[in-house]
Amino acid sequence: MMRNKSFTCYIIDDEPPAVRILEKFIQQLEVLSLLGSSNKSLEALNEIQLKKPDILFLDIQMPDLTGIQLSKLINYSPYIIFTTAYAQFAVEGFQVNAIDYLLKPIAFPRFIEAIEKIKERQQTTPLDGLIAPTQDYFFVKTDGKNRFQKVALPDILYLESIKNYVVIHTKNEQIVTYSTLKSIQESLPELSFIQVHKSYIVALDKIEKTDNYEVWIDGKDLPLGDTYKHGFFEAIHQRKL
């Protein structure tokens, strides 16, 4: 996430009036900037994966792909806010790790509340600014007030995203912290760690074997997502004899 506490946004909604309302709301908050919008979910997929906005406003009911289907295809981890005219879709939205949902017609105070949730999440992310390039460890916040645990980079096998938490798997333990894969990935050495799935980042030197569908680490098989295969196998080929 951006260090200056500002957020880039992208809107995908097949209803032009709903897009205009969100654009107006975004313009009224200095912490937000709009990268673009689209009324076609399938066409927008490539653009958002290229621009990687911090926040996605996704309509749930759309012709080509629903917002929920689209969120499962994105190859990084933005903050997702679903917009819908149907409250019953909120539960399904939260199951794909959405930060919030906005019920149409969207009121400005409710919009601000959703953005505040993102700001609070960013402030509780323990890794922001903690890792310098020369360090081989970091601290994460665990259960309890002001309780932090040291994590040595060489000990990490892989990281797993589960709803609003990240589980750091090491050889000897599993460390749970309230964070996102995106925030942690920004603090990991790029040459040592790589994302292989929407929910997994792995340590390259801990990989035991791999094929076109899975990655094996410490006897556990992890899924290899289609959108991550190209970058993953490029990294593998760079290390091939």
Side-chain angles (χ1 to χ4, degrees), residues 49-80:
Q49 294 192 149
L50 177 65
K51 293 183 175 180
K52 289 183 167 51
D54 299 308
I55 303 173
L56 284 180
F57 294 93
L58 298 181
D59 184 19
I60 290 184
Q61 291 294 93
M62 291 185 287
D64 297 330
L65 287 173
T66 69
I68 291 173
Q69 290 171 331
L70 179 62
S71 70
K72 295 178 180 179
L73 297 176
I74 299 170
N75 64 0
Y76 73 109
S77 302
Y79 293 120
I80 294 175

Side-chain angles (χ1 to χ4, degrees), residues 127-226:
L127 295 179
D128 278 355
L130 288 184
I131 296 183
T134 57
Q135 292 177 332
D136 60 356
Y137 66 90
F138 55 81
F139 289 90
V140 295
K141 190 173 183 180
T142 57
D143 291 337
K145 186 177 181 180
N146 293 326
R147 184 176 180 181
F148 295 86
Q149 182 167 345
K150 182 179 179 180
V151 181
L153 291 177
D155 292 344
I156 298 175
L157 300 174
Y158 62 94
L159 300 96
E160 179 182 10
S161 174
I162 302 178
K163 294 188 179 295
N164 296 326
Y165 295 86
V166 171
V167 181
I168 302 171
H169 295 262
T170 71
K171 188 71 176 178
N172 299 316
E173 62 181 334
Q174 297 179 357
I175 304 166
V176 180
T177 183
Y178 185 76
S179 186
T180 65
L181 276 185
K182 180 181 179 181
S183 295
I184 294 181
Q185 188 174 33
E186 289 177 351
S187 298
L188 294 173
E190 292 184 6
L191 297 179
S192 301
F193 294 86
I194 190 166
Q195 189 160 4
V196 297
H197 184 272
K198 185 177 181 179
S199 300
Y200 293 97
I201 293 174
V202 304
L204 281 164
D205 65 343
K206 302 301 192 303
I207 295 174
E208 297 167 351
K209 59 180 178 177
T210 184
D211 59 20
N212 203 40
Y213 305 100
E214 294 175 313
V215 178
W216 280 264
I217 294 181
D218 196 37
K220 181 176 177 61
D221 54 319
L222 306 178
L224 177 57
D226 289 339

Side-chain angles (χ1 to χ4, degrees), residues 29 77 102 116 129 165 188 234:
L29 296 182
S77 302
L102 299 176
E116 287 300 318
Y165 295 86
L188 294 173
E234 273 193 351

Side-chain angles (χ1 to χ4, degrees), residues 5-70:
K5 305 298 183 183
S6 64
F7 304 89
T8 54
C9 307
Y10 197 98
I11 304 166
I12 304 178
D13 196 312
D14 65 335
E15 299 177 0
V19 173
R20 288 194 293 269
I21 288 173
L22 286 172
E23 288 176 342
K24 179 182 177 181
F25 289 170
I26 289 170
Q27 291 171 0
Q28 293 182 59
L29 296 182
E30 292 184 357
V31 297
L32 303 181
S33 60
L34 184 64
L35 289 183
S37 63
S38 176
N39 59 7
K40 296 182 179 179
S41 55
L42 192 56
E43 292 182 6
L45 180 59
N46 288 335
E47 185 173 8
I48 61 177
Q49 294 192 149
L50 177 65
K51 293 183 175 180
K52 289 183 167 51
D54 299 308
I55 303 173
L56 284 180
F57 294 93
L58 298 181
D59 184 19
I60 290 184
Q61 291 294 93
M62 291 185 287
D64 297 330
L65 287 173
T66 69
I68 291 173
Q69 290 171 331
L70 179 62

